[in-house]
Amino acid sequence: MQKPAENETDPEKVRLEQVAALTDPATIRYLEEIGVGEGWTCAEVGAGAGSIARWLSNRVGHFGTVHAIDIETAYMDGLSAPNLEVRQQDITKEPLEEGAYDLVHCKILLMHLPERERVLGEFARALRPGGHLLVEEADIRSIQRVDPPSPLLTRAASALETFFYFGGADPGYGMKLLPAFRRTGLRLSGTDCQLTAVQAGTPEMETIALSLAKLAPVITKVGLMGQKEVEAAFDLLRQPSDTVLYTPITVSVWGRRSED
């Protein structure tokens, strides 16, 4: 992947950081409830820009280990600690080592993978006896709820949902996560969901705008929206107004392998 010039900001890195800013506080609460402690060996799969990997690194201390795993690691440049290893790895082709981890965590990853159920089972098998699995997945259909009503923004949200299906992803997988998790055989410890209302023209809305910007070229190419419609949707998202919509619902489920 070609990096932007030093004076440029990579839009995808910004998007990943915006998603982390919205979702990491809840993730950290779940990890604290799980009780991540010193000396743990952790896998952060789909690590993105590395914010949770960094938190885990601080949490597990000098005798712990964190593997920050992603198919694209460029966004973790500069992420460094003696107990943290950045791994470029496609977990659909190279599964995690069985029985190796005290914690496996992934966020907004499985919904993009056609073989998501198989990968989820492999995450469960990667746990040591007593190890914990925390999985967080999105249901993006919630972004179609807009107030005051906006047919244009609802159309843009619908186009995003349709595009996900084209690529083999499941935009509603968050709502299917709990039964899928139970099928792994792990003992369920907890479940929660996060939904945030964001207002047009705010930094929080930029997460939605950047996601639309990332997919806009393909959305227009396949005819889901016209270029002028996309540009008008951007204007509605980025200009300050009373328009409010929901972020994608993030469903979080965590559980534990039995001691055996």
Side-chain angles (χ1 to χ4, degrees), residues 92-137:
T92 66
K93 299 176 181 178
E94 185 181 353
L96 298 177
E97 180 183 350
E98 291 193 17
Y101 294 98
D102 299 294
L103 170 77
V104 175
H105 170 245
C106 72
K107 180 161 56 179
I108 313 179
L109 171 70
L110 296 178
M111 63 182 292
H112 297 287
L113 309 179
E115 296 185 72
R116 56 189 71 89
E117 300 272 334
R118 173 179 64 80
V119 173
L120 180 60
E122 290 170 351
F123 286 171
R125 290 190 290 275
L127 299 176
R128 293 172 174 168
H132 301 262
L133 175 61
L134 168 61
V135 182
E136 304 181 89
E137 293 295 329

Side-chain angles (χ1 to χ4, degrees), residues 110-114 116 161 163-173:
L110 296 178
M111 63 182 292
H112 297 287
L113 309 179
R116 56 189 71 89
E161 179 183 351
F163 175 79
F164 271 73
Y165 283 120
F166 282 168
D170 184 348
Y173 185 63

Side-chain angles (χ1 to χ4, degrees), residues 18-37:
Q18 290 279 358
V19 171
L22 281 173
T23 62
D24 279 3
T27 300
I28 290 169
R29 289 199 304 271
Y30 308 142
L31 292 171
E32 288 176 336
E33 182 172 333
I34 286 170
V36 178

Side-chain angles (χ1 to χ4, degrees), residues 1 20 23 28 44 49 54 56 59 64 73 110 168 183 205 210:
M1 187 189 98
T23 62
I28 290 169
E44 173 67 5
R54 184 182 296 109
L56 288 170
R59 185 82 172 196
T73 60
L110 296 178
R183 287 193 290 270
M205 182 64 84
L210 288 169

Side-chain angles (χ1 to χ4, degrees), residues 226-237:
Q227 182 62 37
K228 289 185 178 180
E229 287 182 302
V230 171
E231 292 173 359
F234 280 134
D235 288 342
L236 284 176
L237 294 173

